[in-house]
Amino acid sequence: MDTIHRPRAHRAGRRLAVYLAVASVSMLGSTATAGAVQPAAGLPNLTWGETRTYDDGLQVTVARPTAFTPSDTSAGHRPGHQAVAWKITLKNPSGEPFETALVAVYAKYGQAGEQAERVFDSAKAIGSGFEGSVGPGRSATATYVFDIPKAGTDLIDLEVVPHVITHDGAHWTGPLSPKTGRG
């Protein structure tokens, strides 16, 4: 008989794994469930600072990206590349908490849309993203950093999926910094 008691963290990890497996299956072949926010076809890309408002009232705002200097102990940053940081704000005007466990953020760069690698830097408190939930009538902001070749910073696409099961992704596009003096 097994008398070893598994710690709570193990059970929580198992629940998360099951939840992610269900989310993957749901995304691959099922139609939207009741109460889910339907993807809006033909939405244009947003620019830095603009807000996407979903049918359930959730608002997502992505601030203008800034250059970020990772610490020597960071992971995901390559020499010669530019680390780029975005502050992302979720505003929850509903009467229910919004769980952030399934927020997904992706960055791509250049005309070909190459996938950027996420930077983790515990020395500068970068990497955990959103945690917990956003209370009713409250906002939460998290910083995400991605590693982009310097030549790719002229065209960056940041996608935020507030909840991978119930919300479609929204895209913010533009350069790392505005161009000065047009020719």
Side-chain angles (χ1 to χ4, degrees), residues 2-168:
D2 183 12
T3 59
I4 298 173
H5 296 287
R6 294 196 168 121
R8 256 178 211 253
H10 178 74
R11 288 188 302 230
R14 175 179 273 160
R15 280 191 299 249
L16 179 59
V18 168
Y19 192 67
L20 290 175
V22 169
S24 296
V25 169
S26 296
M27 288 174 49
L28 290 175
S30 71
T31 59
T33 57
V37 176
Q38 300 298 314
L43 283 177
N45 288 340
L46 301 159
T47 58
W48 314 129
E50 291 185 323
T51 299
R52 164 77 192 275
T53 302
Y54 287 84
D55 292 342
D56 62 356
L58 181 71
Q59 297 173 0
V60 180
T61 305
V62 173
R64 178 173 294 286
T66 58
F68 178 82
T69 304
S71 71
D72 292 339
T73 59
S74 69
H77 176 64
R78 293 187 215 165
H81 282 201
Q82 177 62 63
V84 179
W86 285 269
K87 286 192 181 286
I88 300 170
T89 301
L90 302 177
K91 184 175 182 183
N92 177 17
S94 79
E96 299 292 324
F98 179 80
E99 295 297 329
T100 64
L102 294 179
V103 171
V105 179
Y106 309 98
K108 297 172 190 69
Y109 60 88
Q111 292 297 326
E114 295 287 330
Q115 188 72 43
E117 186 172 350
R118 189 156 167 208
V119 174
F120 296 88
D121 193 342
S122 61
K124 293 192 174 185
I126 296 296
S128 62
F130 288 101
E131 295 178 340
S133 64
V134 183
R138 306 284 306 191
S139 295
T141 300
T143 300
Y144 287 79
V145 178
F146 289 89
D147 191 54
I148 298 174
K150 289 183 181 178
T153 61
D154 287 343
L155 179 58
I156 305 171
D157 177 328
L158 188 79
E159 179 182 8
V160 179
V161 184
H163 191 284
V164 297
I165 296 174
T166 61
H167 292 74
D168 59 315

